[in-house]
Amino acid sequence: MHARLVSYLRDNRDQIIENWLTEVEIPAPIESKGQESGVVPYEFFTKALDAVLDLIENGPAAGKNPRVLHLNKFLGITCDCRERCFGGRVCLELHDSGLHAFMSVFDDEWDAEHEFSLLDRECSQDLINHALSIFFNQEIKLCLHKTFRNDCPFVAHN
């Protein structure tokens, strides 16, 4: 199942990245007056997709991907978290929109030949969500901005 899923996702790589790019709603940095949404570099999506596929294929033992463009490279520069809202959390928004983007290639319009049954789709969604969770958990651990925000849900409060 894993090999088939990874192969299918690799075959639909461009569609997943395009959907992820268009679905994500990231707030612009606070300094960017007049801009409502921020920008996530294209490189982040491509490297994150590769890392997620690696996690699906090899499990958590795949470890950290050193080639990933980490959130710290653009968080606070091209986009920023906003207080007290899910959509304003860059990491959570990227995770949620990523899951929708991955699952978009399982829609009936896209998978017209029903290569994956309903049960396969549900199992695939669980695997993808788990891999995204592992990936973003690593990103959150590395996030330099969370300690500066008293409203970040991932800051360990002592």
Side-chain angles (χ1 to χ4, degrees):
M1 166 79 180
H2 288 65
R4 182 173 153 233
L5 173 62
V6 170
S7 176
Y8 181 75
L9 294 173
R10 280 198 178 112
D11 288 347
N12 293 291
R13 173 188 180 84
D14 293 339
Q15 181 67 27
I16 294 167
I17 292 171
E18 181 182 326
N19 287 344
W20 204 350
L21 273 165
T22 56
E23 284 196 29
V24 71
E25 293 182 24
I26 301 293
I30 294 170
E31 299 85 34
S32 300
K33 294 182 171 112
Q35 289 191 345
E36 291 182 14
S37 64
V39 178
V40 177
Y42 182 81
E43 181 185 3
F44 176 81
F45 295 106
T46 60
K47 304 252 175 163
L49 186 134
D50 290 339
V52 168
L53 293 180
D54 191 37
L55 285 164
I56 293 170
E57 192 170 34
N58 300 309
K64 295 177 183 170
N65 185 340
R67 296 175 291 136
V68 168
L69 177 70
H70 296 290
L71 286 172
N72 288 326
K73 296 288 185 188
F74 58 88
L75 191 62
I77 299 168
T78 62
C79 60
D80 207 354
C81 292
R82 292 283 190 263
E83 291 186 29
R84 307 195 195 305
C85 61
F86 166 77
R89 305 275 181 235
V90 173
C91 55
L92 293 178
E93 178 63 30
L94 283 167
H95 181 167
D96 188 57
S97 61
L99 182 59
H100 289 303
F102 274 94
M103 294 312 297
S104 69
V105 297
F106 293 97
D107 288 343
D108 288 336
E109 298 85 38
W110 189 260
D111 183 21
E113 296 177 11
H114 297 286
E115 191 173 331
F116 289 83
S117 70
L118 183 58
L119 181 60
D120 288 341
R121 291 175 191 203
E122 289 174 9
C123 291
S124 296
Q125 182 172 0
D126 288 344
L127 288 169
I128 293 165
N129 190 40
H130 185 66
L132 282 166
S133 294
I134 292 169
F135 175 79
F136 282 106
N137 184 41
Q138 293 169 353
E139 286 300 303
I140 290 164
K141 285 180 183 175
L142 297 172
C143 182
L144 300 174
H145 298 269
K146 69 180 181 184
T147 56
F148 300 117
R149 301 190 60 90
N150 61 2
D151 63 328
C152 178
F154 303 107
V155 176
H157 298 284
N158 294 331

